[in-house]
Amino acid sequence: MPTRGLIGSLLVGFWIAFSLVDCSSFSRVAFTRAEQDVAAIPGIPDARVWADDPTGLSRTAPFSDGQRKPRSIDVLALSGGGAEGAFGAGLLVGWTEAGNRPEFSVVSGTSSGALIAPFAFLGASHDATLKDLFTSGIAGTLLRVDGLNAIFGSGAFKTEPLKLLIARYIDEDLLHLVADQHRRGRRLFVVTTNIDAQRTALWNMGAIAASDYSERLQLFRDILVASASAPGLFAPTYIQVQAGNVRFQEMHVDGAVTSNVLAVPESVLLQKVAFRSTAKPKLYIIVNGKVTPDFAVIGDGTLSIVARSFYSTVKANTRSTLIATYDFARRNGWQFRLAAIQPDYAMTSTTFNFDTDYMRGLFNLGFSTGRTGQQWQSSLQALAASPGSGRFSSSGPNERVEARVPPAAVISSGAWE
């Protein structure tokens, strides 16, 4: 793998050093905060909304245009995790095999979860694509050091392999299918981080697919690239927007920087949400990784330290988000389901190991847990588990969420009500 090579490590080391003087190969057009606040994709005003903006979110809510609502609102949130996305892909395929995988009303994805999200949204008919994406070996081509650009540019690795991978699976036919489901009222969201604004961006992928925007296919692909581009390792993605008569480019990077998993947007988390239907929504969260600390002795190399640090920060972000999401579900009577890689499963020390055999093992792990139906946790006891404790307890898919916060989640639920 390139990440283990001496040349790759040296290049990344030089890149870190030169980044101190902020070398850049791209000159950006300046814009103001006021322009950023009103910027939109031309012709698709709600293509991108902010996770902290309740007004924008209300306009993109599922079944908000008078479509017939299903009896059950099922929400699926797919986290980032790099190569560990193979776990989530396998879980979905195994869940299909079990025969009780629902049609999700809302699907959201971040980073590697964003690459899974369109196929999870379209259902079992795209399971073969999920398997191919994570087990065929194509992901093994992703990490290629970007020569001098690794030193003087904005990313250590070439973005082109990631773009080619996404283009291989995302085409006009897929956009038509996503658009059809969007018109039914279902919603597909992809999470990126706008690092100019320091805000979490939610991309309404169905609205993009259903639009008349001439560049909708390229935009759809660019958003997926952005969501999966860890900053510093891959170059950011620039997305053209318009504010009045002014056009400029927003800089977007990996959604995991601000929100590694998004089941409930941050502007909604503190609210009491009334639901007219007698059937309360179900939140299904797939974490493509462990939610527990995972000990490993890290090598004294630049990339190893950077990757491990990024992964540790994202894991802490994820755990905090899970606590807030669980508390939201408990207060509102929603069902909460969490699936993650078991604490005792042997994993690589970074998320950037795209070795095919490693990913196949993760896919098979996900498949077996999805097929048995024992993957879902209805509380946050998983956060208290440790590698020495073996498998954390699980619950059946039809159990109600527990009406208590376990000791591991040391929060005062009343403080948020």
Side-chain angles (χ1 to χ4, degrees), residues 321-399:
T321 299
L322 291 174
I323 291 171
T325 303
Y326 177 86
D327 189 66
F328 169 88
R330 186 197 61 80
R331 287 184 289 107
N332 287 282
W334 292 24
Q335 296 188 47
F336 175 94
R337 295 290 179 267
L338 168 66
I341 296 176
Q342 298 291 342
D344 55 358
Y345 185 81
M347 286 174 56
T348 185
S349 59
T350 79
T351 66
F352 306 110
N353 177 16
F354 292 100
D355 176 78
T356 301
D357 289 339
Y358 175 68
M359 294 179 69
R360 286 174 179 168
L362 286 164
F363 183 92
N364 291 336
L365 173 68
F367 180 85
S368 63
T369 55
R371 184 173 56 181
T372 61
Q374 297 300 309
Q375 70 273 22
W376 300 111
Q377 318 305 310
S378 62
S379 75
L380 293 183
Q381 291 179 355
L383 299 188
S386 65
S389 64
R391 298 173 67 86
F392 39 71
S393 61
S394 59
S395 59
N398 296 318
E399 276 186 36

Side-chain angles (χ1 to χ4, degrees), residues 91-153:
L91 191 151
L92 287 166
V93 176
W95 197 356
T96 298
E97 189 82 7
N100 58 358
R101 176 177 156 186
E103 179 183 79
F104 302 106
S105 301
V106 178
V107 174
S108 73
T110 302
S111 196
S112 59
L115 304 185
I116 299 171
F119 310 109
F121 182 71
L122 294 176
S125 61
H126 286 72
D127 281 359
T129 302
L130 281 177
K131 184 175 182 179
D132 187 70
L133 177 59
F134 286 94
T135 66
S136 67
I138 188 172
T141 67
L142 288 177
L143 299 185
R144 295 183 178 177
V145 176
D146 199 9
L148 290 177
N149 193 56
I151 300 175
F152 298 105

